[in-house]
Amino acid sequence: MNAVVAPTLERRGLMLVLSSPSGAGKTTISRILLEREEELTLSISATTRQMRPGEIHGKDYFFVSPDEFNSMVDNNEMLEHATVFDNKYGTPSEPVEQGLSSGQDVLFDIDWQGTQQVAAKAPNDIVRVFILPPSLQELERRLYARAQDSEEVVKGRMAKAADEMSHWAEYDYIIVNTDVEKSVADVQAILRAERLKRDRRPDLDSFVRGLRQA
Ligand SMILES: Nc1ncnc2c1ncn2[C@@H]1O[C@H](COP(=O)(O)OP(=O)(O)OP(=O)(O)O)[C@@H](O)[C@H]1O
Ligand SMILES: Nc1nc2c(ncn2[C@@H]2O[C@H](COP(=O)(O)O)[C@@H](O)[C@H]2O)c(=O)[nH]1
């Protein structure tokens, strides 16, 4: 009987998108996921919004001027871009492509507009997760508890929460973020199953052929 060598992991990475109304917990869940998932890398967005206390340029966002943002768009450097809460946000393409082709999965914290654009460009690579808050009162409480935005900004984000949530059905998976640990475990379960999908495992074809000939 011929020896059959178990398949090495040769898969193209997937694009894991998290969206939610502002304050539901995407950033919190993302930070923990990135600590726990070695094969997951964050897509760092560019934005024209003001830096919040504690945020770091190049780690949380690339904080750019409106002119810089527009020239990135004009030079075709953005995978997607959108205006959210009166500021511009966009995903630089190159780091995403580099991550995917080296077998990393890429995590996106982007809104529904960006998700639609990525889904149109890469329908087979995207996995969409929508995070809901347990209630509107809790969403508002979290926005105030984060203590990084003015009352005016919090009110603006609450006013747009219903509109953002109206896109929930465009996503593959829905998580109600009551408990952070449980939400992280749910996203990890999604990742694990999606990584095993047949279409993401081109290496299996020759492996199974070998098994059948052995
Ligand atoms: N399950 C949870 N229970 C209680 N508090 C939470 C939970 N998840 C997140 N939070 C808190 O809610 C606040 C908002 O969370 P976070 O910044 O992660 O939201 P977000 O969805 O990324 O918001 P934005 O879209 O504005 O970036 C933070 O103070 C965070 O610690
Ligand atoms: N379409 C995109 N949306 C993005 C991107 N980066 C962040 N976002 C979304 O913006 C809001 C507000 O974020 P905040 O950090 O200012 O609180 C939130 O819904 C993010 O998901 C992006 O590159 N493209």
Side-chain angles (χ1 to χ4, degrees):
M1 195 190 291
N2 296 334
V4 176
V5 181
T8 50
L9 188 68
E10 263 180 43
R11 63 177 180 87
R12 181 174 161 82
L14 55 83
M15 300 159 107
L16 180 68
V17 171
L18 300 187
S19 299
S20 78
S22 177
K26 297 177 297 293
T27 311
T28 308
I29 293 168
S30 300
R31 284 191 184 137
I32 302 174
L33 272 177
L34 289 162
E35 281 166 15
R36 296 185 187 171
E37 292 286 337
E38 273 180 20
E39 288 176 26
L40 188 65
T41 184
L42 179 67
S43 163
I44 301 171
S45 299
T47 182
T48 61
R49 92 149 154 71
Q50 290 288 306
M51 197 186 275
R52 290 186 186 128
E55 284 185 325
I56 297 171
H57 177 79
K59 180 171 178 281
D60 298 291
Y61 280 105
F62 294 106
F63 294 94
V64 297
S65 68
D67 281 350
E68 285 169 316
F69 191 97
N70 290 340
S71 82
M72 289 175 85
V73 173
D74 292 345
N75 294 333
N76 240 341
E77 290 170 30
M78 295 291 201
L79 177 63
E80 62 74 35
H81 61 94
T83 299
V84 190
F85 308 127
D86 303 329
N87 289 302
K88 291 181 179 177
Y89 295 81
T91 302
S93 310
E94 203 184 311
V96 173
E97 195 43 56
Q98 272 175 9
L100 292 176
S101 50
S102 66
Q104 285 284 112
D105 297 316
V106 182
L107 178 64
F108 298 76
D109 173 340
I110 61 177
D111 84 328
W112 63 270
Q113 304 172 82
T115 307
Q116 287 185 350
Q117 293 171 43
V118 177
K121 285 185 178 166
N124 299 325
D125 289 338
I126 192 169
V127 177
R128 293 160 292 194
V129 181
F130 199 87
I131 314 279
L132 288 168
S135 67
L136 275 185
Q137 289 87 335
E138 174 62 10
L139 184 67
E140 188 171 33
R141 191 200 67 74
R142 287 181 191 174
L143 280 171
Y144 280 115
R146 185 164 69 184
Q148 285 185 327
D149 296 305
S150 65
E151 183 163 0
E152 189 193 348
V153 168
V154 170
K155 284 199 158 47
R157 290 183 175 219
M158 282 304 293
K160 291 194 176 140
D163 183 40
E164 184 79 34
M165 285 189 283
S166 72
H167 293 276
W168 72 279
E170 296 163 20
Y171 287 71
D172 305 303
Y173 300 93
I174 312 298
I175 292 175
V176 179
N177 177 26
T178 304
D179 175 78
V180 177
E181 274 301 323
K182 183 175 178 305
S183 300
V184 170
D186 286 344
V187 182
Q188 287 187 290
I190 293 165
L191 251 186
R192 190 156 180 203
E194 289 286 342
R195 284 170 174 162
L196 291 172
K197 275 200 166 158
R198 190 183 58 234
D199 290 350
R200 299 209 164 91
R201 304 288 307 277
D203 56 324
L204 284 180
D205 198 35
S206 63
F207 176 65
V208 176
R209 234 179 295 123
L211 281 180
R212 295 181 66 199
Q213 284 163 5

